[in-house]
Amino acid sequence: MNTGCVFCKISEDKIQARKIYQSNDIIAFHDINPQAPVHVLVIPRRHIRNLLEADEQDASLIGRMLIVTTQIAKQLNIAESGYRIVINTNRNAGQSIDHLHIHLLGGRAMQWPPG
Amino acid sequence: MNTGCVFCKISEDKIQARKIYQSNDIIAFHDINPQAPVHVLVIPRRHIRNLLEADEQDASLIGRMLIVTTQIAKQLNIAESGYRIVINTNRNAGQSIDHLHIHLLGGRAMQWPPG
């Protein structure tokens, strides 16, 4: 755990969040500042700063995070209508929390370009 | 191979594209309609329609696709400044080609919301 990290604190139930999925290494919760009718964040419990800090040994974990994200899209009934997954790394992308997280957005038509 | 799929044809060199990465199961090439100074697509060679068609057995492949995407971000010098990864599934997200693809965008500040 990174003691200064809000997502680590959510993982350890030291900060409240509207969690909708938990396993031994992945959790998901509703974004506190949603950009669509459905906006969920999927994160690893382990403090990985972003994709640049992940390596080939993390491929299975990251792949399972995407499978979980799709399972949540199905659960929240946005899978068939459509959903966008976004992962931001570093400043130009707007990464605001230095703990790897997948954005899941749906429930409305998304625009192009994607920001 | 899906005979009607443009990305399958790119994978098999039956349609030209500006490829920048090739392995036995993943390829990457520049988007023909770029939305940022760098806009690359990373796809599996196998015809998977989208994430809804992937299952847990594909977690490793999908994870490696994201690792490859990050390697390309480094190669194209957008990793430190920042890059956004986008995966669209079905109509609301704007999925336009029915072959799973990861968008890699960078080289400019991306906006929020992401479309």
Side-chain angles (χ1 to χ4, degrees):
Chain A
M1 178 183 175
N2 181 315
T3 55
C5 173
V6 63
F7 285 177
C8 285
K9 287 177 180 166
I10 287 174
S11 170
E12 299 200 347
D13 288 322
K14 293 179 177 171
I15 291 180
Q16 291 296 309
R18 291 173 56 212
K19 286 185 191 158
I20 53 172
Y21 177 87
Q22 296 199 63
S23 73
N24 66 325
D25 56 0
I26 297 169
I27 68 169
F29 50 91
H30 292 278
D31 194 296
I32 199 170
N33 189 13
Q35 303 296 317
V38 170
H39 187 169
V40 166
L41 302 180
V42 180
I43 72 170
R45 289 191 186 272
R46 177 158 62 92
H47 186 78
I48 302 171
R49 196 169 78 84
N50 56 36
L51 285 176
L52 289 169
E53 245 190 28
D55 59 26
E56 290 181 21
Q57 293 179 321
D58 297 314
S60 168
L61 170 65
I62 293 168
R64 283 188 295 107
M65 287 173 64
L66 282 170
I67 301 294
V68 164
T69 303
T70 286
Q71 288 168 347
I72 293 170
K74 289 178 183 170
Q75 178 187 328
L76 298 180
N77 294 313
I78 58 170
E80 289 309 315
S81 54
Y83 59 98
R84 177 167 291 172
I85 285 172
V86 177
I87 308 172
N88 295 321
T89 301
N90 283 347
R91 188 182 308 181
N92 256 352
Q95 182 177 10
S96 56
I97 304 285
D98 282 341
H99 184 130
L100 176 61
H101 52 289
I102 294 175
H103 294 269
L104 165 65
L105 300 112
R108 67 168 172 87
M110 305 296 294
Q111 307 302 308
W112 201 249
Chain B
M1 179 183 174
N2 181 316
T3 54
C5 173
V6 63
F7 285 178
C8 285
K9 287 177 180 166
I10 287 174
S11 170
E12 298 200 349
D13 287 322
K14 292 177 177 171
I15 290 181
Q16 290 297 307
R18 292 173 56 213
K19 286 185 192 157
I20 54 172
Y21 177 88
Q22 296 198 63
S23 72
N24 66 325
D25 57 359
I26 297 169
I27 67 168
F29 50 91
H30 291 278
D31 194 297
I32 201 171
N33 190 12
Q35 303 297 317
V38 170
H39 188 169
V40 166
L41 302 179
V42 180
I43 72 170
R45 288 190 186 273
R46 177 158 62 94
H47 186 79
I48 303 171
R49 196 170 77 83
N50 56 36
L51 285 176
L52 289 168
E53 245 190 28
D55 59 27
E56 290 181 19
Q57 292 179 320
D58 297 314
S60 168
L61 170 65
I62 293 167
R64 284 188 293 107
M65 286 172 64
L66 282 171
I67 300 294
V68 164
T69 303
T70 286
Q71 288 169 346
I72 292 169
K74 289 178 184 172
Q75 178 187 327
L76 298 180
N77 294 313
I78 58 169
E80 290 309 316
S81 54
Y83 59 99
R84 177 167 292 172
I85 285 172
V86 177
I87 308 171
N88 295 321
T89 300
N90 283 347
R91 188 183 308 181
N92 257 351
Q95 182 177 11
S96 56
I97 304 284
D98 283 341
H99 184 129
L100 176 61
H101 51 289
I102 294 175
H103 294 269
L104 165 65
L105 300 111
R108 69 167 171 86
M110 306 297 292
Q111 307 302 308
W112 202 249

